[in-house]
Structure formats: structure tokens, C-alpha cells
Amino acid sequence: MTQSYETVSENRSFGGTQGVYRHRSQATGTDMTFAIFLPEAAQHGRVPVLWYLSGLTCTHENAMTKAGAQEWCAEAGIAIVFPDTSPRGEGVADDDAYDLGQGAGFYVDATQDPWKPHFQMWHYIVHELPELIGDNFAIDRDAMGITGHSMGGHGALTIAMTHPERYRSVSAFSPIAHPSESDWGRKQLGAYLGEDRAAWTAHDSTLLMRERGYPGEVLIDQGSKDQFLDLLKPESLAHAMMERRQPGQFRMQPGYDHSYFFVQTFMGDHVMWHAERLA
């Protein structure tokens, strides 16, 4: 059965359409908002699609307005989706800290209270939202790539390594690379998944890289002046890639920090990387 949605806004952008939409999610039990840019090519048939997962505190809007992706996606003829990072609203569990609860879903399916009823972001991103978008927009679900920034980079890498049959390409900007051994990870994985660290392995890109890797190439960009390097632990993932001899590139970009100025700078590289692999 086709899922229903409502249009929040639609704007002309680089010959295509930047839309924002809202729907009732069965996975989260809440209303969820997402954005999708469709290039002009989508008026004539289905186009490849790139999923962009955002970081802590973000909504769909941050990357939509700050990442500068639309121009590159229009040139490449691919769509890009910006989901929200968590369920929101009255009755949804939250925390006073910015890095847990609403705005910090961490792209996992929570098994622990009070998070379990709504924080089912893995299922939402991997299954429910692609079905809704595939049924209602001109995207090719057989040509999907995934990327993300910070917490979203963590999500992109773990989802792609777990479901390589779904994603032909994967990249990341400044990912939380080893959450099992970071304060950006232990707190959230413990809260959402419980204290059994075996349950955390499926959501740690360094551990997944050691265990299975990714069948294609991987692109990762990290700023050398990132103020959160000690929390992100990029060296752990880089070492795991080398140990596995994982094809791809891990680029330490001199002078760049964790901001969207960094993401903007290399967004074109990432969009074209995915476009080549989704063609």
C-alpha cells in the first residue's frame, strides 16, 4: 500500500525541484519530515539517488540549505534525500544533552526504554523512507548511494557495510568512526542498545570494516583541524581500512574543521564520486 505524505514546500532549484515533505512514520510512530532534491532529469524518468545523513542536532534542513549539493546533483542528474536525524514531538523521549535523544538518533533501532517506542531510525532510513520515496518520486531504488556527515557519516558507513546490496556507493564526511571507544558513541549506544557491547558492533564502522568491509570503493574526507578529532577517532577507521586493504580513499584535508564550510568544499567531489558509481 502506497504511503501518503503532505507537501510542506517546493522550490525551483538549478532546473529541478527542492521539496520538503511530511508523513506519518510507522517505524517511529511520529510525524517525520524529509527533503528531496529532484534534478530536471527526473521529469523524464527515474534517476539515481544519493542519501545524505546529517549529524548531531540537525534536521532535514541543515544540509539542504548548507551543503551546496543541489547544483552538483543537478549537473550529475541524480536526486539527493535529506532525512531528519530522529523522531521528534510531544511524547518522544529526550535528554537535556544535545548528543542524546531528539536530534541524536544515531541511526540505530533502540531496544531500551524510554527510547525503544520511537527511536527506530535504522528501520526508518533503510526500509520505510526508501519505500515511500520510491513509490512517490522518480528515483531508481536499484541505483542508491549513501553519504553523511559526523553522526551521519557513522550511519552511512554502517548501513552501507551491512546492506551493500542496497547501496552501490558510500562516502562520508568526518564520520564518528569508532563509537564503541568514544564518548560520542558509548553514551548513545549504551542508552539505545543497552550495556551488552556485542550489540554495538553492528553500529561501529571501524569494527565492521575489520569484520566485512565494503565490496566497492569507499571515500572519506576528514579535516585536519576538526575540533572533534578525539571524539571521531578517524585513525581507527583508517587503520582498519589499511589492515583490510579496503579499496578507496581516506583523505585528511589540511586546515579544515568540522563545519559545513568543510562539507561544502568537498561536496562536489562526493556527488560526482557517487554519480560515477550509480550511472
Side-chain angles (χ1 to χ4, degrees):
M1 181 178 178
T2 301
Q3 302 176 63
S4 62
Y5 68 94
E6 62 177 297
T7 300
V8 177
S9 64
E10 289 183 334
N11 297 95
R12 191 75 167 158
S13 178
F14 295 100
T17 301
Q18 177 61 68
V20 178
Y21 308 94
R22 183 182 298 113
H23 72 112
R24 186 70 181 177
S25 167
Q26 292 184 355
T28 68
T30 66
D31 289 341
M32 296 292 288
T33 302
F34 67 92
I36 179 171
F37 171 76
L38 292 169
E40 185 177 8
Q43 298 175 21
H44 310 292
R46 293 188 177 272
V47 296
V49 58
L50 177 60
W51 292 80
Y52 182 99
L53 307 185
S54 293
L56 289 166
T57 75
C58 291
T59 69
H60 69 280
E61 188 174 15
N62 296 74
M64 181 185 77
T65 58
K66 296 180 180 180
Q70 290 86 348
E71 181 175 9
W72 294 104
C73 288
E75 181 178 336
I78 67 175
I80 187 166
V81 179
F82 307 102
D84 202 348
T85 56
S86 79
R88 300 175 189 272
E90 186 176 353
V92 177
D94 201 7
D95 190 271
D96 290 338
Y98 74 94
D99 58 355
L100 186 68
Q102 296 185 38
F106 243 73
Y107 305 103
V108 303
D109 285 345
T111 59
Q112 307 297 304
D113 291 329
W115 314 105
K116 182 179 178 180
H118 300 294
F119 281 75
Q120 302 295 312
M121 288 301 295
W122 181 281
H123 186 88
Y124 178 71
I125 294 295
V126 175
H127 300 290
E128 185 179 27
L129 190 56
E131 289 176 8
L132 183 151
I133 291 177
D135 287 345
N136 292 284
F137 299 88
I139 65 144
D140 182 356
R141 287 192 63 192
D142 293 324
M144 298 201 305
I146 190 166
T147 188
H149 174 231
S150 194
M151 179 183 73
H154 139 82
L157 291 168
T158 56
I159 287 171
M161 283 190 277
T162 303
H163 294 289
E165 75 286 353
R166 288 178 178 265
Y167 304 95
R168 287 194 201 171
S169 56
V170 60
S171 71
F173 301 85
S174 312
I176 300 175
H178 199 7
S180 296
E181 300 300 331
S182 169
D183 288 341
W184 271 359
R186 286 184 295 236
K187 173 183 177 180
Q188 294 85 356
L189 297 179
Y192 296 141
L193 304 177
E195 293 307 318
D196 181 1
R197 291 174 67 94
W200 301 3
T201 301
H203 301 286
D204 187 310
S205 58
T206 293
L207 300 181
L208 287 175
M209 182 60 68
R210 292 173 184 164
E211 176 185 311
R212 64 182 69 179
Y214 180 74
E217 296 177 279
V218 175
L219 173 62
I220 298 171
D221 274 314
Q222 171 64 61
S224 69
K225 297 296 185 181
D226 194 313
Q227 58 271 45
F228 303 115
L229 277 175
D230 290 343
L231 294 166
L232 300 172
K233 297 192 177 297
E235 67 281 356
S236 298
L237 180 57
H239 291 157
M241 290 176 66
M242 290 297 292
E243 290 166 4
R244 189 173 185 83
R245 299 180 182 177
Q246 169 68 46
Q249 299 179 43
F250 194 114
R251 309 191 302 191
M252 185 64 73
Q253 301 291 0
Y256 286 91
D257 60 15
H258 199 70
S259 71
Y260 265 98
F261 295 109
F262 162 66
V263 175
Q264 285 177 5
T265 301
F266 299 102
M267 178 57 73
D269 288 358
H270 283 246
V271 170
M272 293 308 174
W273 165 279
H274 287 276
E276 289 175 7
R277 287 153 181 81
L278 297 176

